[in-house]
């Protein structure tokens, strides 16, 4: 059955005497019905006729309207309601019928689950919710009056046309078009959407839930809110309408072609794939591949100074991405800048595995990755040590390698001071990434890897793109389909879309021992090549970087390395996120970083005592690194008799698709 809005046995209800819903505008929840209209526009008429005539989304119906004022057996009534509700039961089916389902990775089943959870919480405390809804109605009414008053005032020429941003809209790029501020209709629509979005997200704040479940609830509510923005519909997007008029409808035809192309390829095109290519305009810093095995190519870069520091740098990038994030265009290349500062730089370029490599283990990655690369770098440079730099997962691999060598004795350790860039060792707090790393998700990933022998890079990319869906998904939907523009030519987006696969055995071991069981921080829980691992045995000086807005490795999680190792750690928090916080070439207006020389007992205590510095953290790191990189010497040759150059950088592994 479908629950009806029968009047409860109390005053103040928002239904008529016959049990029918009150007219729009009189019901406290009526304003939120705008979501249903937008959803119906997104997914078409498949929501059904009954759904189309409802005033309110069912998950926002006042609890007493569904219980009929009767307290007995509310859970049973709730279950019946969920099983028969036409909106909740049709959203997932409708979305799967929508062509965008093929290119947009929104999990509507989880969205519905989140909306049900919000409904249940409302059922438990209807008084609080009705108060919140009353406040929302007042805000909506005030917002609408302000929008029209401002328009009238400007029409009479009594005030400047400078608009006042609505709540939450000041920095929202989705509403950059001037019509969202100057046109009272669009401004009202925008304000109602933002206010309703904030209302739903606040309704999802559930302090009584477990942190992981609370994070999951918030995430899926955000996906719902983002996917129902009025900017995603042609007739409620003023920029798209203006573009269609200016082009005589050509933009709509171009957008349709873009959509058909993406449907054919089964993915959303995020970047102009023809605008960039490694070796052409990316990864062009001069160098040679001086070593190759089944897992890595080792690139040594040509010196650019008359003298270099004796101890070389060895970069270990993550094997889930291609290395050239460190060597993008010359203007923002980390590698080029370091070579110009007088360092000898080696970079590991990982093999893009296929099904034939499914039995490759994590130990193989360590043995044939950092250990093999360090030995080659030592031989070429005649340096007694190498200073390793681990980026993201490369830092996790580096930490295990250092702990393994410490367990075998410092005599066999080729590494000097170590640097960790946005890297995790303790996986207890991994932020939004945990949403995709639960037990059931890992089981599903492992099942896919068993079938193929590897994990497809597109699936990993889709998961991480959802963490920034407005920027990485919906902005491209508007650009490609509504505006009919070609995908942007942006180097970082090109790199982000140029992913790698992950070998089954190694990746399964990594996921199980990190995200699922968090074994790396438990001394003796992990054994690598016969040696029990204890991160506390690592005694090297360490420089560690976290990023303020990192959604993959939260800065407070990166900070944990200060508590886990036995060496001196200089921790720095950079501004921006996981990529822009690291790849931040020094120059005017290049962000900021925070430094605290004193030990702290918690991330917040560290931050409270930290000093903010303008500019890129690269300059601070290089000053720290120079003191630990030996004396200045003549540049070593590129390659050696034992390890002659094999080919020019960027090598061959990075070009494999």
């Amino acid at each position: 059955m479908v629950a009806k809005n029968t009047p409860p046995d109390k005053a103040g209800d928002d239904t008529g005497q016959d049990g029918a819903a009150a007219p729009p505008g009189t019901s406290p929840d009526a304003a939120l019905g705008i979501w249903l209209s937008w959803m119906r526009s997104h997914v078409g008429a498949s929501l059904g006729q009954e759904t189309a005539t409802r005033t309110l989304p069912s998950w926002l119906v006042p609890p007493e309207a569904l219980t009929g004022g009767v307290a007995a057996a509310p859970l049973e009534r709730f279950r019946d309601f969920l099983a028969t509700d036409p909106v909740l039961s049709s959203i997932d089916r409708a979305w799967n019928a929508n062509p965008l389902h093929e290119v947009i990775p929104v999990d509507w089943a989880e969205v519905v689950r989140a909306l049900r959870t919000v409904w249940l919480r409302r059922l438990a405390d209807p008084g609080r919710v009705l108060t919140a809804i009353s406040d929302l109605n007042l805000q909506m009414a005030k917002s609408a009056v302000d929008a029209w008053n401002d328009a009238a005032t400007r029409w009479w020429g009594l005030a400047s046309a400078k608009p006042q941003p609505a709540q939450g809209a000041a920095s929202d790029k989705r509403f950059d078009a001037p019509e969202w501020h100057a046109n009272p209709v669009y401004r009202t629509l925008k304000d109602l959407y933002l206010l309703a979005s904030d209302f739903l997200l606040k309704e999802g704040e559930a302090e009584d839930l477990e942190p992981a479940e609370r994070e999951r609830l918030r995430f899926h509510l955000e996906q719902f809110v983002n996917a129902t923005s009025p900017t995603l519909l042609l007739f409620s997007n003023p920029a798209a309408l203006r573009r269609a008029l200016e082009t005589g409808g050509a933009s709509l035809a171009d957008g349709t072609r873009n959509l058909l192309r993406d449907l054919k390829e089964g993915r959303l095109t995020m970047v102009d794939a023809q605008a960039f290519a490694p070796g052409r305009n990316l990864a062009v810093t001069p160098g040679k591949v001086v070593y190759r095995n089944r897992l890595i190519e080792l690139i040594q870069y040509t010196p650019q100074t008359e003298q270099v520091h004796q101890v070389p740098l060895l970069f270990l990038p993550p094997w889930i991405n291609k290395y050239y994030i460190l060597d993008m265009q010359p203007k923002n290349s980390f590698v080029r800048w370091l070579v110009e500062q007088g360092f000898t730089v080696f970079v590991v370029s990982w093999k893009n595995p296929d099904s034939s490599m499914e039995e490759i283990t994590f130990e193989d990655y360590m043995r044939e990755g950092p250990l093999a690369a360090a030995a080659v770098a030592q031989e070429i440079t005649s340096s007694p040590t190498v200073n390793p730099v681990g980026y993201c997962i490369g830092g996790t691999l580096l930490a295990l390698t250092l702990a393994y060598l410490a367990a075998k004795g410092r005599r066999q350790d080729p590494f000097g001071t170590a640097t960790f860039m946005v890297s995790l060792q303790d996986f207890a707090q991994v932020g939004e990434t945990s949403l995709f790393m639960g037990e059931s998700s890992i089981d599903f990933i492992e099942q896919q890897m068993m079938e193929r022998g590897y994990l497809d890079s597109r699936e990993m990319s889709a998961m991480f793109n959802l963490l920034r869906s407005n920027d990485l998904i919906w902005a491209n939907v508007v650009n490609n389909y509504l505006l009919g523009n070609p995908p942007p030519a942006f180097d970082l987006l090109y790199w982000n879309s140029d992913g790698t696969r992950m070998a089954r055995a190694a990746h399964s071991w990594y996921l199980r021992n990190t995200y699922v069981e968090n074994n790396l921080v438990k001394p003796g829980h992990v054994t690598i090549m016969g040696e029990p691992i204890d991160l506390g045995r690592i005694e090297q000086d360490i420089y560690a970087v976290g990023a303020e807005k990192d959604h993959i490795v939260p800065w407070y999680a990166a900070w944990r390395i200060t508590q886990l190792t036995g060496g001196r750690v200089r921790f720095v928090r950079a501004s921006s996120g996981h990529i822009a916080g690291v790849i931040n070439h020094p120059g005017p207006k290049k962000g900021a970083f925070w430094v605290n020389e004193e030990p702290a007992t918690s991330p917040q205590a560290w931050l409270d005592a930290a000093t903010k510095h303008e500019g890129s953290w690269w300059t601070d790191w290089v000053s720290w690194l120079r003191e630990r990189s030996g004396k200045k010497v003549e540049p070593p040759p590129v390659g050696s008799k034992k390890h002659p150059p094999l080919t020019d950088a960027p090598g061959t592994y990075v070009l494999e698709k």
Side-chain angles (χ1 to χ4, degrees):
M1 68 174 185
V2 178
K4 297 181 180 179
N5 290 358
T6 54
D9 298 328
K10 60 175 76 174
D13 65 283
D14 49 23
T15 56
Q17 294 300 314
D18 59 354
T26 61
S27 165
D29 278 338
L32 297 182
I34 193 170
W35 261 329
L36 185 60
S37 299
W38 291 339
M39 179 62 69
R40 193 162 58 246
S41 298
H42 276 292
V43 300
S46 54
L47 287 175
Q49 183 61 35
E50 181 176 1
T51 301
T53 60
R54 294 175 67 101
T55 301
L56 307 179
S58 300
W59 53 83
L60 293 173
V61 173
E64 62 272 21
L66 290 173
T67 61
V70 180
L75 184 58
E76 181 179 351
R77 296 181 66 110
F78 176 65
R79 287 171 177 165
D80 291 341
F81 163 70
L82 292 181
T84 59
D85 180 79
V87 174
L88 296 183
S89 63
S90 61
I91 283 180
D92 188 55
R93 182 176 65 252
W95 177 249
N96 280 285
N98 190 297
L100 286 180
H101 165 72
E102 300 296 330
V103 296
I104 306 298
V106 174
D107 187 344
W108 281 106
E110 285 295 326
V111 168
V112 169
R113 179 174 176 270
L115 293 170
R116 289 173 173 174
T117 301
V118 171
W119 188 93
L120 184 58
R121 292 181 56 77
R122 295 191 62 202
L123 187 68
D125 192 1
R128 177 194 62 79
V129 173
L130 289 176
T131 300
I133 291 174
S134 297
D135 292 341
L136 174 64
N137 272 343
L138 290 175
Q139 294 180 61
M140 286 182 164
K142 181 179 183 302
S143 176
V145 170
D146 288 346
W148 287 95
N149 282 345
D150 181 70
T153 301
R154 285 184 286 106
W155 189 82
W156 286 103
L158 299 178
S160 67
K162 183 178 181 180
Q164 296 297 319
Q167 294 89 333
S171 60
D172 197 327
K173 297 178 182 178
R174 295 175 297 176
F175 301 104
D176 280 348
E179 289 89 346
W180 288 115
H181 308 283
N183 185 303
V185 174
Y186 282 117
R187 178 174 166 181
T188 300
L189 179 62
K190 175 199 66 178
D191 290 353
L192 291 181
Y193 164 75
L194 292 172
L195 288 167
S197 298
D198 289 343
F199 173 81
L200 181 60
L201 293 176
K202 288 178 181 177
E203 285 294 292
E205 295 175 358
E207 296 299 327
D208 55 322
L209 295 178
E210 292 293 325
E213 184 60 26
R214 184 167 61 248
E215 185 74 12
R216 183 177 298 275
L217 174 64
R218 182 199 59 77
F219 172 79
H220 289 295
L221 290 177
E222 283 188 351
Q223 296 306 311
F224 175 69
V225 165
N226 293 342
T228 53
S229 168
T231 60
L232 299 177
L233 300 177
L234 175 63
F235 292 105
S236 58
N237 187 319
L241 289 174
R242 187 178 349 107
R243 173 78 170 166
L245 291 173
E246 292 171 350
T247 62
S251 63
L252 302 181
D254 291 339
T256 301
R257 279 191 290 269
N258 291 341
L259 175 59
L260 293 175
R261 177 202 61 214
D262 287 357
L263 290 174
K264 181 179 180 180
E265 296 181 0
R267 62 183 177 88
L268 172 66
T269 301
M270 301 176 61
V271 67
D272 182 359
Q274 306 304 315
F276 301 99
R280 174 162 58 88
N281 53 2
L282 299 176
V284 295
T285 302
K288 301 285 186 180
V289 173
V290 295
Y291 175 75
R292 180 187 294 127
N293 62 31
R294 60 176 178 164
L295 288 182
I296 73 166
E297 286 184 335
L298 182 64
I299 301 172
Q300 180 186 0
Y301 289 92
T302 305
Q304 301 293 320
T305 55
E306 293 184 359
Q307 287 191 314
V308 298
H309 289 279
Q310 179 184 21
V311 181
L313 291 172
L314 172 61
F315 276 89
L316 302 170
W319 61 86
I320 65 171
N321 299 110
K322 294 186 177 179
Y323 86 88
Y324 64 87
I325 187 61
L326 301 167
D327 186 25
M328 299 294 283
Q329 299 184 72
K331 64 181 180 181
N332 60 351
S333 170
F334 201 174
V335 167
R336 179 180 289 267
W337 186 80
L338 285 168
V339 172
E340 292 171 348
Q341 304 306 306
F343 290 92
T344 299
V345 178
F346 291 83
V347 173
V348 167
S349 175
W350 297 101
K351 172 79 172 178
N352 193 0
D354 55 30
S355 58
S356 68
M357 301 173 65
E358 66 172 322
E359 299 299 331
I360 296 290
T361 67
F362 192 88
E363 292 179 340
D364 293 327
Y365 268 87
M366 188 176 80
R367 185 185 301 108
E368 300 180 41
L371 292 179
V376 174
Q378 283 180 293
E379 193 276 331
I380 291 175
T381 62
S382 300
S383 173
T385 59
V386 174
N387 288 340
V389 183
Y391 188 0
C392 190
I393 296 178
T396 307
L397 174 62
L398 174 60
L400 287 170
T401 304
L402 295 179
Y404 163 77
L405 293 169
K408 292 188 70 70
R410 297 281 297 183
R411 183 172 51 83
Q412 300 185 39
D413 188 353
F415 294 114
T417 186
T419 299
F420 294 84
M421 304 188 306
V422 291
S423 177
L424 285 170
Q425 292 77 40
D426 185 348
F427 287 74
Q429 294 181 299
V430 294
E432 295 176 330
T433 309
S434 63
L435 298 166
F436 309 115
M437 298 301 176
E439 185 73 36
S440 59
S441 298
I442 301 299
D443 288 342
F444 180 68
I445 289 173
E446 289 184 327
Q447 180 182 351
Q448 289 184 312
M449 291 193 295
M450 287 294 293
E451 295 172 355
R452 304 170 182 166
Y454 58 83
L455 180 63
D456 193 301
S457 63
R458 290 187 298 178
E459 289 156 1
M460 290 289 291
S461 178
M463 288 191 297
F464 287 119
N465 287 344
L466 282 173
L467 299 180
R468 295 176 54 205
S469 60
N470 275 336
D471 294 333
L472 297 179
I473 295 177
W474 300 118
N476 286 288
V477 168
V478 172
N479 178 78
N480 299 1
Y481 307 151
L482 297 187
L483 298 178
N485 292 327
F490 185 25
D491 56 358
L492 286 179
L493 284 180
Y494 177 88
W495 168 83
N496 186 60
S497 65
D498 188 18
T500 60
R501 296 173 288 273
M502 279 133 280
R504 179 190 61 79
H507 199 61
S508 179
W509 186 96
Y510 167 76
L511 292 176
R512 288 286 170 187
N513 283 281
T514 55
Y515 287 99
V516 178
E517 299 176 12
N518 195 23
N519 286 332
L520 307 190
V521 296
K522 305 171 185 176
H525 258 65
V526 172
T527 299
I528 298 288
M529 291 192 287
E531 298 293 340
I533 297 302
D534 181 356
L535 299 181
R537 293 182 177 180
I538 299 174
E539 298 179 1
Q540 281 96 338
D541 285 355
I542 288 173
Y543 190 102
V545 182
E548 178 185 14
K549 299 177 182 179
D550 195 336
H551 60 286
I552 297 175
V553 179
W555 77 267
Y556 50 83
W559 173 87
R560 277 285 291 149
I561 196 171
T562 66
Q563 311 290 298
L564 297 173
T565 66
R568 294 178 299 173
V569 181
R570 179 181 178 85
F571 182 79
V572 172
R573 190 182 80 163
S575 58
S576 198
H578 192 70
I579 302 301
V582 174
I583 309 304
N584 184 25
H585 195 288
K589 299 180 181 180
K590 295 298 290 186
F593 61 95
W594 290 258
V595 178
N596 178 5
E597 303 281 0
E598 301 301 322
T601 57
S602 70
Q604 190 59 48
W606 179 93
L607 184 60
D608 291 341
T611 302
K612 183 178 180 180
H613 301 269
E614 298 298 326
S616 171
W617 65 272
W618 290 8
T619 55
D620 179 78
W621 177 53
V622 163
S623 296
W624 180 89
L625 195 61
R626 290 189 193 279
E627 300 175 3
R628 297 160 175 83
S629 297
K631 61 183 180 180
K632 288 291 191 72
V633 298
E634 292 292 321
V638 178
S640 65
K641 183 177 181 180
K642 184 176 180 180
H643 300 291
L646 303 176
T647 187
D648 290 335
T652 60
Y653 283 179
V654 74
L655 303 178
E656 296 175 346
K657 298 296 185 180

